[in-house]
């Protein structure tokens, strides 16, 4: 799996205020090569799905998996969310159990 780090924007752009309902830290943010074209072309917002993930909006998961994520937030286990890009494509967001890294990837890259 090849990873691309998300770098802060240059040119004096101001960052959006941090959400007040963050459930866990994201750690280092990475994007796989397969997911990058969807994010960097503007098809879907990396900041949008990362914000949803961090606030506990697990996206397109079954109820059992959503409950597992709710438990993982409290227990320190790995957290996985899934978000639809279009009818045929989903992106996964995975935060590792130690909260050191969060990766956006295609399911086929797992």
């Amino acid at each position: 799996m090849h990873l691309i780090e998300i770098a802060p924007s240059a040119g004096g752009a101001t960052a959006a205020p941090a959400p007040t309902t963050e459930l866990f830290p994201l750690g280092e943010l990475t994007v796989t090569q397969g997911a990058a074209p969807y994010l960097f072309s503007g098809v879907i917002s990396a900041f949008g799905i990362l914000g949803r993930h961090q606030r506990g909006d697990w996206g397109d998961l079954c109820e059992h998996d959503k409950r597992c994520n709710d438990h993982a937030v409290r227990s320190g286990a790995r957290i996985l969310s899934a978000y639809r890009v279009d009818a045929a494509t989903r992106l996964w967001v995975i935060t590792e159990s130690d909260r050191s890294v969060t990766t956006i990837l295609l399911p086929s890259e797992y």
Side-chain angles (χ1 to χ4, degrees):
M1 173 170 43
H2 300 284
L3 301 178
I4 301 168
E5 291 187 36
I6 299 176
S9 62
T14 57
T20 57
T21 56
E22 296 172 349
L23 299 177
F24 52 90
L26 296 174
E28 181 181 350
L29 302 176
T30 60
V31 176
T32 62
Q33 288 184 338
Y38 296 100
L39 300 169
F40 299 139
S41 68
V43 172
I44 189 167
S45 166
F47 295 112
I49 62 175
L50 288 169
R52 289 176 62 188
H53 177 74
Q54 196 173 31
R55 289 188 306 271
D57 172 355
W58 311 126
D60 189 31
L61 294 179
C62 68
E63 290 305 314
H64 172 76
D65 289 345
K66 289 178 182 181
R67 285 191 305 275
C68 287
N69 275 347
D70 292 338
H71 178 71
V73 168
R74 295 186 301 276
S75 70
R78 182 195 62 131
I79 301 167
L80 180 143
S81 298
Y83 304 100
R84 286 224 173 266
V85 175
D86 55 39
T89 309
R90 289 191 317 167
L91 292 178
W92 283 1
V93 179
I94 299 175
T95 298
E96 298 302 330
S97 59
D98 65 0
R99 309 300 186 250
S100 64
V101 65
T102 296
T103 304
I104 302 173
L105 66 157
L106 293 171
S108 62
E109 295 176 301
Y110 187 72

